[in-house]
Structure formats: C-alpha cells, structure tokens
Amino acid sequence: MSRFNDLQGAFKEFLELCSKWSRVVVIPAVNVDSIAAASILTKCLPRSGLDVVMNFSPRSEYREPTLFLDLRSEAKRLSFSIIYGSGINVLHGQRMTAYTNSSIASTILYLAKGFCELSYVEKACALVGGVDRGKDLGKEGFRGIEGDIAAELIEEGVVIEEVGLRLWGWKKRSLAEMLSNTLTPFIPQLSGLSTSAVKFLKDIGVTEPEEATVGDLEREDLFKKLAKELIGKATELSRKKRDAVEFIGKLYGVQVNNEVIYIHEIYGAYVVAISLGGNVLNNLLYLTENSWGLQSLLLLFKRLISRVASEVGRGYSNYVNSLPISTGLVKRPEIYVKVLSDSGLLEERPVILYDSAMNRKYTSLMEAIRTGLTVSEVDSEQLIEVK
C-alpha cells in the first residue's frame, strides 16, 4: 500500500505544479482502460481548479504540463505518465512515471477521490477499465481495487451481481445473437457468424435455436452442455488455453433508469466505439460529463454491433490467412488485436488495415510499439502509415 501512497502523493504534487499554468493536457493511449480513465479525469480535474485539454496526440508540443495514460512521455515539459504493468516508479523530476498493476481507470478513480465527488458513472468506467485488463476473471469476480469499487456499488444498491454467461446481450438478446455478437471473449467460428451460431445451438439440442433466449436454458443439463460445448469450440481453434471463467462467471449489472446494464457489455460498447475512430472515439473522452453519455454509447452499440461483429469475423480470418484487412465500419486495428490475442493467434507482425478508398495502409501506435515497428509520424488518433 505504501507504493500506492507514494503514487498518491506524487500525483497531488503534480496537480499542484499544474496549478501554475491553470491547465493540464491529458493524452490517453487508444485502449479501453486508458480512455475510461481519461473520461474520469474530464469530470474530476476541473474540480481541482484546472482547465483540461484532451487529445490523442502524444508527440505534440505544449507549454502546459501533460498527463499521459499508458504512454511514455517524450515531452520536454513537465509530465506524469501512468502505465499499466510492472516497472520502476520515478516520482520526482520533470518527467514522472508510475506503474500500476490495477487498471489505470481504477487507479485514477482512487487518485481522484480526494478532490472529486464520484458518481456511479465514474465508478462504472473504472470497472470497465478492470474488464479491459482482465481483473474480473477470477472465480470471485473483481478483486483488488476493482473489487473494492464493485463492493461499494453493491453496498450503494447501484450494482447487482449474478453468475451467468459472459456474453454481450446477456438476458437482452437471443442466444444466437449473443454468441455471434460477442467479440471478447472471441469464439472462433461463432463470433461474427450468425448462421454458425444458430447451427451450434441446434447441434447441442436447443429447440428453436433462431429464437431461443436465456430463459430456454433453465434446464441445468442444457446450460451445462452449452457451456461445455462453448468452451470446446473456443479451445478447438485457439493456440492458447481458454479458461471457463472467460465464458461463465460473475456478472455485474448497473441499474440505469430502471434497466440493468452489465459492465462487460458496457466494455463491449467501448470496444465497438473505439473501432469506429473519428468523432466517436473523441466523444468517449467526455462520457462522464452528462447523464446521457453512457446511454448514447449503449444506443450506438445496439445499433452497430451486428455489423461490426460480422466485419471483425471476416478481418480475423484474413489476418490468420495473411490476407489484407480492409476497412469498412471498423477503422482501427485495436479490436483485431484483442480478438487475435484471445485466440493466441496474434503474431509479431502488426495488424495492418487497408483503406482502398484512400489507397492507404496503416496501423496504430500501440501496435508499432508492440512489434518494434519504426515510427516516423503519428497522426491525431495515434495511427501511423505503413509503406
């Protein structure tokens, strides 16, 4: 805990130094956890008297201090980097760096507690960051800081917990839609393939597989059979061991306007929104600013998930077969990195997208970092051209 106390003290000192400029620039990496963390800061930093500038341009030069989330600072000015993973903290000097083994979003939530009143929306964003980092994949659900946040929300009566299938659309869509629309955890031969999902359900004995819902799994033997076959299907074409807790485990439902929305599905909405890029990506940075932010995100998810899932299913197969991944609705590579990683099929070569309309090949900054690709220029959305 002393390590976290040191981080808390250094963060407070950084904000005090920022007050000399009355402004701080926040630059998150383009991943769900960092963007969720940034949206918490959007609401909380103004409470400490600071104007906040948000963008995705890590190499732009500003006079003001900069807070980097999951990115290392290359700035000559005062900066603070919070990075997910293990490393040596440098909590003094012009460039401060801190590492966290919790999600960045939950870390930011705890750092902000001293100067910001937090609502269930910010806490839900912190748990979304936890899902992104796999902090909910134990038998007991969330642990550590994320577990404390979940316990707070349960005590406040905002969150309920239950055990079920960790599929997008749980209790809201048909089983076939849940199977074909879920991209994380990715299920080879089912994710993005609605016809295959219907056949899968028919083969395991689900009556009326096109229309069947969670209610049709009330027979315990059928639920167990579906779970067993689902894990088998995921394992069959994966190069890494798949754990049952990826598919069956604790679910956390947030009560929003008399409707229960599950944290893992909010995470799915983030994944889909990030894949679109452009204004949608930028809007995620301000999700906590008003009560409609979360609802707008979920409406976008509901409208586009089937089309995005279908496109990702094709792109996934293209990468595995060393074919180009063409852009359509999906404009960014992160979603492909995630689904390929789930299956153990992500190779040392970067995930590259091809935009035929612009005759342009590109990948992301994070993919360049992962694969050691030389980076010359980074655009305003952390995308880089590939020759």
Side-chain angles (χ1 to χ4, degrees), residues 145-180:
I145 293 178
E146 290 84 4
D148 293 342
I149 295 167
E152 283 180 22
L153 288 168
I154 291 167
E155 187 175 342
E156 292 166 5
V158 176
V159 160
I160 59 170
E161 58 178 344
E162 60 187 85
V163 176
L165 292 172
R166 295 168 49 83
L167 301 177
W168 299 353
W170 172 248
K171 290 188 174 179
K172 295 180 181 178
R173 296 198 174 222
S174 70
L175 286 171
E177 287 175 313
M178 286 163 56
L179 289 168
S180 63

PDB file of all heavy atoms in Angstrom, residues 145-180:
ATOM      1  N   ILE A 145      -8.347  -3.358  -6.205  1.00  0.00           N
ATOM      2  CA  ILE A 145      -9.033  -2.066  -6.213  1.00  0.00           C
ATOM      3  C   ILE A 145     -10.381  -2.180  -6.906  1.00  0.00           C
ATOM      4  O   ILE A 145     -11.389  -1.649  -6.446  1.00  0.00           O
ATOM      5  CB  ILE A 145      -8.166  -0.993  -6.914  1.00  0.00           C
ATOM      6  CG1 ILE A 145      -6.911  -0.706  -6.096  1.00  0.00           C
ATOM      7  CG2 ILE A 145      -8.958   0.295  -7.108  1.00  0.00           C
ATOM      8  CD1 ILE A 145      -5.976   0.307  -6.730  1.00  0.00           C
ATOM      9  N   GLU A 146     -10.413  -2.912  -8.019  1.00  0.00           N
ATOM     10  CA  GLU A 146     -11.678  -3.073  -8.754  1.00  0.00           C
ATOM     11  C   GLU A 146     -12.716  -3.787  -7.883  1.00  0.00           C
ATOM     12  O   GLU A 146     -13.907  -3.445  -7.936  1.00  0.00           O
ATOM     13  CB  GLU A 146     -11.445  -3.853 -10.045  1.00  0.00           C
ATOM     14  CG  GLU A 146     -10.674  -3.101 -11.109  1.00  0.00           C
ATOM     15  CD  GLU A 146      -9.154  -3.159 -10.941  1.00  0.00           C
ATOM     16  OE1 GLU A 146      -8.684  -3.866 -10.014  1.00  0.00           O
ATOM     17  OE2 GLU A 146      -8.442  -2.494 -11.712  1.00  0.00           O
ATOM     18  N   GLY A 147     -12.263  -4.754  -7.094  1.00  0.00           N
ATOM     19  CA  GLY A 147     -13.172  -5.446  -6.178  1.00  0.00           C
ATOM     20  C   GLY A 147     -13.753  -4.502  -5.138  1.00  0.00           C
ATOM     21  O   GLY A 147     -14.940  -4.584  -4.790  1.00  0.00           O
ATOM     22  N   ASP A 148     -12.920  -3.574  -4.644  1.00  0.00           N
ATOM     23  CA  ASP A 148     -13.396  -2.577  -3.673  1.00  0.00           C
ATOM     24  C   ASP A 148     -14.440  -1.657  -4.303  1.00  0.00           C
ATOM     25  O   ASP A 148     -15.447  -1.319  -3.668  1.00  0.00           O
ATOM     26  CB  ASP A 148     -12.221  -1.737  -3.160  1.00  0.00           C
ATOM     27  CG  ASP A 148     -11.229  -2.544  -2.328  1.00  0.00           C
ATOM     28  OD1 ASP A 148     -11.603  -3.637  -1.858  1.00  0.00           O
ATOM     29  OD2 ASP A 148     -10.087  -2.080  -2.168  1.00  0.00           O
ATOM     30  N   ILE A 149     -14.199  -1.265  -5.551  1.00  0.00           N
ATOM     31  CA  ILE A 149     -15.146  -0.383  -6.247  1.00  0.00           C
ATOM     32  C   ILE A 149     -16.479  -1.105  -6.461  1.00  0.00           C
ATOM     33  O   ILE A 149     -17.556  -0.538  -6.232  1.00  0.00           O
ATOM     34  CB  ILE A 149     -14.566   0.088  -7.591  1.00  0.00           C
ATOM     35  CG1 ILE A 149     -13.327   0.955  -7.360  1.00  0.00           C
ATOM     36  CG2 ILE A 149     -15.613   0.859  -8.402  1.00  0.00           C
ATOM     37  CD1 ILE A 149     -12.502   1.215  -8.610  1.00  0.00           C
ATOM     38  N   ALA A 150     -16.407  -2.370  -6.896  1.00  0.00           N
ATOM     39  CA  ALA A 150     -17.627  -3.153  -7.102  1.00  0.00           C
ATOM     40  C   ALA A 150     -18.388  -3.315  -5.792  1.00  0.00           C
ATOM     41  O   ALA A 150     -19.620  -3.178  -5.754  1.00  0.00           O
ATOM     42  CB  ALA A 150     -17.273  -4.520  -7.694  1.00  0.00           C
ATOM     43  N   ALA A 151     -17.659  -3.578  -4.693  1.00  0.00           N
ATOM     44  CA  ALA A 151     -18.294  -3.747  -3.381  1.00  0.00           C
ATOM     45  C   ALA A 151     -19.003  -2.458  -2.954  1.00  0.00           C
ATOM     46  O   ALA A 151     -20.111  -2.497  -2.395  1.00  0.00           O
ATOM     47  CB  ALA A 151     -17.254  -4.151  -2.344  1.00  0.00           C
ATOM     48  N   GLU A 152     -18.383  -1.301  -3.221  1.00  0.00           N
ATOM     49  CA  GLU A 152     -19.009  -0.004  -2.917  1.00  0.00           C
ATOM     50  C   GLU A 152     -20.325   0.142  -3.659  1.00  0.00           C
ATOM     51  O   GLU A 152     -21.347   0.559  -3.089  1.00  0.00           O
ATOM     52  CB  GLU A 152     -18.082   1.146  -3.323  1.00  0.00           C
ATOM     53  CG  GLU A 152     -16.927   1.419  -2.379  1.00  0.00           C
ATOM     54  CD  GLU A 152     -16.073   2.585  -2.878  1.00  0.00           C
ATOM     55  OE1 GLU A 152     -16.582   3.413  -3.670  1.00  0.00           O
ATOM     56  OE2 GLU A 152     -14.901   2.649  -2.485  1.00  0.00           O
ATOM     57  N   LEU A 153     -20.306  -0.183  -4.950  1.00  0.00           N
ATOM     58  CA  LEU A 153     -21.507  -0.021  -5.766  1.00  0.00           C
ATOM     59  C   LEU A 153     -22.609  -0.991  -5.351  1.00  0.00           C
ATOM     60  O   LEU A 153     -23.795  -0.647  -5.384  1.00  0.00           O
ATOM     61  CB  LEU A 153     -21.150  -0.220  -7.246  1.00  0.00           C
ATOM     62  CG  LEU A 153     -20.346   0.912  -7.885  1.00  0.00           C
ATOM     63  CD1 LEU A 153     -19.801   0.491  -9.239  1.00  0.00           C
ATOM     64  CD2 LEU A 153     -21.190   2.169  -8.015  1.00  0.00           C
ATOM     65  N   ILE A 154     -22.221  -2.193  -4.955  1.00  0.00           N
ATOM     66  CA  ILE A 154     -23.208  -3.168  -4.476  1.00  0.00           C
ATOM     67  C   ILE A 154     -23.832  -2.683  -3.175  1.00  0.00           C
ATOM     68  O   ILE A 154     -25.054  -2.748  -2.982  1.00  0.00           O
ATOM     69  CB  ILE A 154     -22.541  -4.555  -4.289  1.00  0.00           C
ATOM     70  CG1 ILE A 154     -22.158  -5.140  -5.663  1.00  0.00           C
ATOM     71  CG2 ILE A 154     -23.473  -5.508  -3.551  1.00  0.00           C
ATOM     72  CD1 ILE A 154     -21.243  -6.335  -5.579  1.00  0.00           C
ATOM     73  N   GLU A 155     -22.992  -2.156  -2.272  1.00  0.00           N
ATOM     74  CA  GLU A 155     -23.485  -1.635  -0.994  1.00  0.00           C
ATOM     75  C   GLU A 155     -24.413  -0.440  -1.197  1.00  0.00           C
ATOM     76  O   GLU A 155     -25.392  -0.261  -0.473  1.00  0.00           O
ATOM     77  CB  GLU A 155     -22.305  -1.225  -0.109  1.00  0.00           C
ATOM     78  CG  GLU A 155     -22.697  -0.834   1.303  1.00  0.00           C
ATOM     79  CD  GLU A 155     -21.507  -0.539   2.187  1.00  0.00           C
ATOM     80  OE1 GLU A 155     -20.385  -0.947   1.841  1.00  0.00           O
ATOM     81  OE2 GLU A 155     -21.701   0.106   3.236  1.00  0.00           O
ATOM     82  N   GLU A 156     -24.117   0.371  -2.213  1.00  0.00           N
ATOM     83  CA  GLU A 156     -24.953   1.537  -2.512  1.00  0.00           C
ATOM     84  C   GLU A 156     -26.250   1.146  -3.212  1.00  0.00           C
ATOM     85  O   GLU A 156     -27.131   1.996  -3.412  1.00  0.00           O
ATOM     86  CB  GLU A 156     -24.180   2.518  -3.394  1.00  0.00           C
ATOM     87  CG  GLU A 156     -23.004   3.187  -2.685  1.00  0.00           C
ATOM     88  CD  GLU A 156     -22.059   3.898  -3.664  1.00  0.00           C
ATOM     89  OE1 GLU A 156     -22.380   3.943  -4.878  1.00  0.00           O
ATOM     90  OE2 GLU A 156     -21.016   4.394  -3.224  1.00  0.00           O
ATOM     91  N   GLY A 157     -26.382  -0.131  -3.593  1.00  0.00           N
ATOM     92  CA  GLY A 157     -27.584  -0.594  -4.269  1.00  0.00           C
ATOM     93  C   GLY A 157     -27.634  -0.240  -5.739  1.00  0.00           C
ATOM     94  O   GLY A 157     -28.675  -0.346  -6.389  1.00  0.00           O
ATOM     95  N   VAL A 158     -26.488   0.185  -6.287  1.00  0.00           N
ATOM     96  CA  VAL A 158     -26.419   0.569  -7.702  1.00  0.00           C
ATOM     97  C   VAL A 158     -26.102  -0.631  -8.579  1.00  0.00           C
ATOM     98  O   VAL A 158     -26.516  -0.701  -9.735  1.00  0.00           O
ATOM     99  CB  VAL A 158     -25.362   1.672  -7.900  1.00  0.00           C
ATOM    100  CG1 VAL A 158     -25.207   2.024  -9.379  1.00  0.00           C
ATOM    101  CG2 VAL A 158     -25.724   2.908  -7.105  1.00  0.00           C
ATOM    102  N   VAL A 159     -25.357  -1.595  -8.036  1.00  0.00           N
ATOM    103  CA  VAL A 159     -24.921  -2.762  -8.805  1.00  0.00           C
ATOM    104  C   VAL A 159     -25.447  -4.044  -8.184  1.00  0.00           C
ATOM    105  O   VAL A 159     -25.494  -4.185  -6.953  1.00  0.00           O
ATOM    106  CB  VAL A 159     -23.378  -2.794  -8.882  1.00  0.00           C
ATOM    107  CG1 VAL A 159     -22.856  -4.178  -9.229  1.00  0.00           C
ATOM    108  CG2 VAL A 159     -22.871  -1.787  -9.918  1.00  0.00           C
ATOM    109  N   ILE A 160     -25.868  -4.959  -9.044  1.00  0.00           N
ATOM    110  CA  ILE A 160     -26.204  -6.316  -8.605  1.00  0.00           C
ATOM    111  C   ILE A 160     -25.177  -7.267  -9.205  1.00  0.00           C
ATOM    112  O   ILE A 160     -24.570  -6.971 -10.235  1.00  0.00           O
ATOM    113  CB  ILE A 160     -27.626  -6.727  -9.064  1.00  0.00           C
ATOM    114  CG1 ILE A 160     -27.729  -6.665 -10.604  1.00  0.00           C
ATOM    115  CG2 ILE A 160     -28.681  -5.847  -8.421  1.00  0.00           C
ATOM    116  CD1 ILE A 160     -29.001  -7.275 -11.151  1.00  0.00           C
ATOM    117  N   GLU A 161     -24.944  -8.389  -8.535  1.00  0.00           N
ATOM    118  CA  GLU A 161     -24.037  -9.384  -9.088  1.00  0.00           C
ATOM    119  C   GLU A 161     -24.752 -10.720  -9.213  1.00  0.00           C
ATOM    120  O   GLU A 161     -25.615 -11.056  -8.406  1.00  0.00           O
ATOM    121  CB  GLU A 161     -22.761  -9.517  -8.243  1.00  0.00           C
ATOM    122  CG  GLU A 161     -22.966  -9.890  -6.800  1.00  0.00           C
ATOM    123  CD  GLU A 161     -21.651 -10.043  -6.051  1.00  0.00           C
ATOM    124  OE1 GLU A 161     -20.599 -10.156  -6.695  1.00  0.00           O
ATOM    125  OE2 GLU A 161     -21.682 -10.062  -4.808  1.00  0.00           O
ATOM    126  N   GLU A 162     -24.410 -11.443 -10.259  1.00  0.00           N
ATOM    127  CA  GLU A 162     -25.002 -12.750 -10.509  1.00  0.00           C
ATOM    128  C   GLU A 162     -24.018 -13.584 -11.313  1.00  0.00           C
ATOM    129  O   GLU A 162     -22.991 -13.081 -11.769  1.00  0.00           O
ATOM    130  CB  GLU A 162     -26.319 -12.602 -11.277  1.00  0.00           C
ATOM    131  CG  GLU A 162     -26.168 -11.931 -12.636  1.00  0.00           C
ATOM    132  CD  GLU A 162     -27.508 -11.656 -13.304  1.00  0.00           C
ATOM    133  OE1 GLU A 162     -28.115 -10.612 -13.017  1.00  0.00           O
ATOM    134  OE2 GLU A 162     -27.923 -12.507 -14.103  1.00  0.00           O
ATOM    135  N   VAL A 163     -24.322 -14.840 -11.473  1.00  0.00           N
ATOM    136  CA  VAL A 163     -23.485 -15.727 -12.283  1.00  0.00           C
ATOM    137  C   VAL A 163     -24.223 -16.038 -13.578  1.00  0.00           C
ATOM    138  O   VAL A 163     -25.425 -16.305 -13.575  1.00  0.00           O
ATOM    139  CB  VAL A 163     -23.160 -17.031 -11.525  1.00  0.00           C
ATOM    140  CG1 VAL A 163     -22.376 -17.993 -12.419  1.00  0.00           C
ATOM    141  CG2 VAL A 163     -22.358 -16.723 -10.253  1.00  0.00           C
ATOM    142  N   GLY A 164     -23.508 -15.977 -14.686  1.00  0.00           N
ATOM    143  CA  GLY A 164     -24.135 -16.268 -15.963  1.00  0.00           C
ATOM    144  C   GLY A 164     -23.114 -16.367 -17.069  1.00  0.00           C
ATOM    145  O   GLY A 164     -21.903 -16.435 -16.818  1.00  0.00           O
ATOM    146  N   LEU A 165     -23.598 -16.364 -18.313  1.00  0.00           N
ATOM    147  CA  LEU A 165     -22.725 -16.389 -19.475  1.00  0.00           C
ATOM    148  C   LEU A 165     -22.204 -14.986 -19.734  1.00  0.00           C
ATOM    149  O   LEU A 165     -22.977 -14.035 -19.822  1.00  0.00           O
ATOM    150  CB  LEU A 165     -23.486 -16.889 -20.706  1.00  0.00           C
ATOM    151  CG  LEU A 165     -23.909 -18.359 -20.704  1.00  0.00           C
ATOM    152  CD1 LEU A 165     -24.821 -18.641 -21.893  1.00  0.00           C
ATOM    153  CD2 LEU A 165     -22.698 -19.273 -20.744  1.00  0.00           C
ATOM    154  N   ARG A 166     -20.907 -14.861 -19.874  1.00  0.00           N
ATOM    155  CA  ARG A 166     -20.295 -13.542 -20.072  1.00  0.00           C
ATOM    156  C   ARG A 166     -20.343 -13.164 -21.559  1.00  0.00           C
ATOM    157  O   ARG A 166     -19.312 -12.956 -22.198  1.00  0.00           O
ATOM    158  CB  ARG A 166     -18.863 -13.561 -19.551  1.00  0.00           C
ATOM    159  CG  ARG A 166     -18.773 -13.767 -18.040  1.00  0.00           C
ATOM    160  CD  ARG A 166     -17.358 -14.067 -17.596  1.00  0.00           C
ATOM    161  NE  ARG A 166     -16.409 -13.117 -18.148  1.00  0.00           N
ATOM    162  CZ  ARG A 166     -16.138 -11.921 -17.632  1.00  0.00           C
ATOM    163  NH1 ARG A 166     -16.763 -11.521 -16.535  1.00  0.00           N
ATOM    164  NH2 ARG A 166     -15.252 -11.130 -18.186  1.00  0.00           N
ATOM    165  N   LEU A 167     -21.537 -13.115 -22.085  1.00  0.00           N
ATOM    166  CA  LEU A 167     -21.745 -12.808 -23.498  1.00  0.00           C
ATOM    167  C   LEU A 167     -22.470 -11.478 -23.631  1.00  0.00           C
ATOM    168  O   LEU A 167     -23.334 -11.150 -22.813  1.00  0.00           O
ATOM    169  CB  LEU A 167     -22.560 -13.915 -24.180  1.00  0.00           C
ATOM    170  CG  LEU A 167     -21.970 -15.327 -24.132  1.00  0.00           C
ATOM    171  CD1 LEU A 167     -22.919 -16.318 -24.791  1.00  0.00           C
ATOM    172  CD2 LEU A 167     -20.608 -15.367 -24.821  1.00  0.00           C
ATOM    173  N   TRP A 168     -22.120 -10.709 -24.661  1.00  0.00           N
ATOM    174  CA  TRP A 168     -22.767  -9.423 -24.881  1.00  0.00           C
ATOM    175  C   TRP A 168     -24.232  -9.645 -25.257  1.00  0.00           C
ATOM    176  O   TRP A 168     -24.554 -10.468 -26.118  1.00  0.00           O
ATOM    177  CB  TRP A 168     -22.059  -8.659 -25.999  1.00  0.00           C
ATOM    178  CG  TRP A 168     -20.613  -8.361 -25.688  1.00  0.00           C
ATOM    179  CD1 TRP A 168     -19.958  -8.573 -24.505  1.00  0.00           C
ATOM    180  CD2 TRP A 168     -19.651  -7.808 -26.581  1.00  0.00           C
ATOM    181  NE1 TRP A 168     -18.640  -8.178 -24.603  1.00  0.00           N
ATOM    182  CE2 TRP A 168     -18.417  -7.705 -25.866  1.00  0.00           C
ATOM    183  CE3 TRP A 168     -19.688  -7.384 -27.908  1.00  0.00           C
ATOM    184  CZ2 TRP A 168     -17.257  -7.205 -26.439  1.00  0.00           C
ATOM    185  CZ3 TRP A 168     -18.539  -6.884 -28.481  1.00  0.00           C
ATOM    186  CH2 TRP A 168     -17.334  -6.782 -27.752  1.00  0.00           C
ATOM    187  N   GLY A 169     -25.104  -8.938 -24.575  1.00  0.00           N
ATOM    188  CA  GLY A 169     -26.538  -9.111 -24.806  1.00  0.00           C
ATOM    189  C   GLY A 169     -27.180 -10.051 -23.818  1.00  0.00           C
ATOM    190  O   GLY A 169     -28.341 -10.444 -23.993  1.00  0.00           O
ATOM    191  N   TRP A 170     -26.461 -10.409 -22.745  1.00  0.00           N
ATOM    192  CA  TRP A 170     -26.981 -11.324 -21.717  1.00  0.00           C
ATOM    193  C   TRP A 170     -28.351 -10.844 -21.226  1.00  0.00           C
ATOM    194  O   TRP A 170     -28.521  -9.707 -20.831  1.00  0.00           O
ATOM    195  CB  TRP A 170     -25.984 -11.400 -20.561  1.00  0.00           C
ATOM    196  CG  TRP A 170     -26.437 -12.144 -19.341  1.00  0.00           C
ATOM    197  CD1 TRP A 170     -26.702 -11.610 -18.112  1.00  0.00           C
ATOM    198  CD2 TRP A 170     -26.640 -13.555 -19.201  1.00  0.00           C
ATOM    199  NE1 TRP A 170     -27.060 -12.602 -17.228  1.00  0.00           N
ATOM    200  CE2 TRP A 170     -27.031 -13.806 -17.867  1.00  0.00           C
ATOM    201  CE3 TRP A 170     -26.541 -14.628 -20.084  1.00  0.00           C
ATOM    202  CZ2 TRP A 170     -27.309 -15.074 -17.390  1.00  0.00           C
ATOM    203  CZ3 TRP A 170     -26.821 -15.905 -19.613  1.00  0.00           C
ATOM    204  CH2 TRP A 170     -27.198 -16.123 -18.278  1.00  0.00           C
ATOM    205  N   LYS A 171     -29.322 -11.733 -21.357  1.00  0.00           N
ATOM    206  CA  LYS A 171     -30.711 -11.515 -20.933  1.00  0.00           C
ATOM    207  C   LYS A 171     -31.468 -10.498 -21.793  1.00  0.00           C
ATOM    208  O   LYS A 171     -32.627 -10.190 -21.507  1.00  0.00           O
ATOM    209  CB  LYS A 171     -30.788 -11.088 -19.460  1.00  0.00           C
ATOM    210  CG  LYS A 171     -30.443 -12.195 -18.478  1.00  0.00           C
ATOM    211  CD  LYS A 171     -30.724 -11.770 -17.048  1.00  0.00           C
ATOM    212  CE  LYS A 171     -30.507 -12.943 -16.103  1.00  0.00           C
ATOM    213  NZ  LYS A 171     -30.756 -12.555 -14.695  1.00  0.00           N
ATOM    214  N   LYS A 172     -30.834  -9.994 -22.835  1.00  0.00           N
ATOM    215  CA  LYS A 172     -31.498  -8.993 -23.671  1.00  0.00           C
ATOM    216  C   LYS A 172     -31.692  -9.456 -25.106  1.00  0.00           C
ATOM    217  O   LYS A 172     -32.618  -9.016 -25.784  1.00  0.00           O
ATOM    218  CB  LYS A 172     -30.689  -7.684 -23.675  1.00  0.00           C
ATOM    219  CG  LYS A 172     -30.629  -7.006 -22.327  1.00  0.00           C
ATOM    220  CD  LYS A 172     -29.818  -5.731 -22.415  1.00  0.00           C
ATOM    221  CE  LYS A 172     -29.726  -5.063 -21.054  1.00  0.00           C
ATOM    222  NZ  LYS A 172     -28.901  -3.839 -21.098  1.00  0.00           N
ATOM    223  N   ARG A 173     -30.799 -10.307 -25.581  1.00  0.00           N
ATOM    224  CA  ARG A 173     -30.864 -10.767 -26.965  1.00  0.00           C
ATOM    225  C   ARG A 173     -31.028 -12.285 -27.006  1.00  0.00           C
ATOM    226  O   ARG A 173     -30.869 -12.968 -25.995  1.00  0.00           O
ATOM    227  CB  ARG A 173     -29.610 -10.342 -27.724  1.00  0.00           C
ATOM    228  CG  ARG A 173     -29.460  -8.839 -27.844  1.00  0.00           C
ATOM    229  CD  ARG A 173     -28.487  -8.468 -28.934  1.00  0.00           C
ATOM    230  NE  ARG A 173     -28.433  -7.039 -29.151  1.00  0.00           N
ATOM    231  CZ  ARG A 173     -28.380  -6.457 -30.328  1.00  0.00           C
ATOM    232  NH1 ARG A 173     -28.400  -7.187 -31.427  1.00  0.00           N
ATOM    233  NH2 ARG A 173     -28.314  -5.146 -30.453  1.00  0.00           N
ATOM    234  N   SER A 174     -31.316 -12.799 -28.189  1.00  0.00           N
ATOM    235  CA  SER A 174     -31.429 -14.249 -28.331  1.00  0.00           C
ATOM    236  C   SER A 174     -30.055 -14.881 -28.121  1.00  0.00           C
ATOM    237  O   SER A 174     -29.017 -14.209 -28.230  1.00  0.00           O
ATOM    238  CB  SER A 174     -31.962 -14.613 -29.716  1.00  0.00           C
ATOM    239  OG  SER A 174     -30.979 -14.334 -30.707  1.00  0.00           O
ATOM    240  N   LEU A 175     -30.034 -16.173 -27.815  1.00  0.00           N
ATOM    241  CA  LEU A 175     -28.761 -16.873 -27.611  1.00  0.00           C
ATOM    242  C   LEU A 175     -27.888 -16.790 -28.858  1.00  0.00           C
ATOM    243  O   LEU A 175     -26.668 -16.597 -28.762  1.00  0.00           O
ATOM    244  CB  LEU A 175     -29.018 -18.338 -27.254  1.00  0.00           C
ATOM    245  CG  LEU A 175     -29.545 -18.614 -25.848  1.00  0.00           C
ATOM    246  CD1 LEU A 175     -29.949 -20.082 -25.729  1.00  0.00           C
ATOM    247  CD2 LEU A 175     -28.506 -18.269 -24.791  1.00  0.00           C
ATOM    248  N   ALA A 176     -28.504 -16.942 -30.029  1.00  0.00           N
ATOM    249  CA  ALA A 176     -27.737 -16.896 -31.278  1.00  0.00           C
ATOM    250  C   ALA A 176     -27.092 -15.524 -31.460  1.00  0.00           C
ATOM    251  O   ALA A 176     -25.928 -15.413 -31.857  1.00  0.00           O
ATOM    252  CB  ALA A 176     -28.637 -17.227 -32.469  1.00  0.00           C
ATOM    253  N   GLU A 177     -27.834 -14.459 -31.149  1.00  0.00           N
ATOM    254  CA  GLU A 177     -27.274 -13.111 -31.257  1.00  0.00           C
ATOM    255  C   GLU A 177     -26.154 -12.910 -30.242  1.00  0.00           C
ATOM    256  O   GLU A 177     -25.127 -12.302 -30.554  1.00  0.00           O
ATOM    257  CB  GLU A 177     -28.372 -12.076 -31.031  1.00  0.00           C
ATOM    258  CG  GLU A 177     -29.352 -11.953 -32.178  1.00  0.00           C
ATOM    259  CD  GLU A 177     -30.483 -10.987 -31.846  1.00  0.00           C
ATOM    260  OE1 GLU A 177     -31.060 -11.098 -30.742  1.00  0.00           O
ATOM    261  OE2 GLU A 177     -30.786 -10.138 -32.695  1.00  0.00           O
ATOM    262  N   MET A 178     -26.352 -13.410 -29.036  1.00  0.00           N
ATOM    263  CA  MET A 178     -25.315 -13.277 -28.012  1.00  0.00           C
ATOM    264  C   MET A 178     -24.022 -13.942 -28.461  1.00  0.00           C
ATOM    265  O   MET A 178     -22.929 -13.372 -28.323  1.00  0.00           O
ATOM    266  CB  MET A 178     -25.791 -13.903 -26.696  1.00  0.00           C
ATOM    267  CG  MET A 178     -26.838 -13.075 -25.966  1.00  0.00           C
ATOM    268  SD  MET A 178     -27.742 -14.035 -24.713  1.00  0.00           S
ATOM    269  CE  MET A 178     -26.413 -14.638 -23.700  1.00  0.00           C
ATOM    270  N   LEU A 179     -24.129 -15.122 -29.028  1.00  0.00           N
ATOM    271  CA  LEU A 179     -22.937 -15.858 -29.462  1.00  0.00           C
ATOM    272  C   LEU A 179     -22.243 -15.173 -30.636  1.00  0.00           C
ATOM    273  O   LEU A 179     -21.015 -15.051 -30.659  1.00  0.00           O
ATOM    274  CB  LEU A 179     -23.319 -17.290 -29.854  1.00  0.00           C
ATOM    275  CG  LEU A 179     -23.706 -18.223 -28.711  1.00  0.00           C
ATOM    276  CD1 LEU A 179     -24.336 -19.503 -29.270  1.00  0.00           C
ATOM    277  CD2 LEU A 179     -22.496 -18.569 -27.855  1.00  0.00           C
ATOM    278  N   SER A 180     -23.017 -14.721 -31.622  1.00  0.00           N
ATOM    279  CA  SER A 180     -22.398 -14.143 -32.818  1.00  0.00           C
ATOM    280  C   SER A 180     -21.942 -12.702 -32.599  1.00  0.00           C
ATOM    281  O   SER A 180     -21.000 -12.243 -33.245  1.00  0.00           O
ATOM    282  CB  SER A 180     -23.359 -14.213 -34.008  1.00  0.00           C
ATOM    283  OG  SER A 180     -24.525 -13.441 -33.769  1.00  0.00           O
TER     284      SER A 180
END
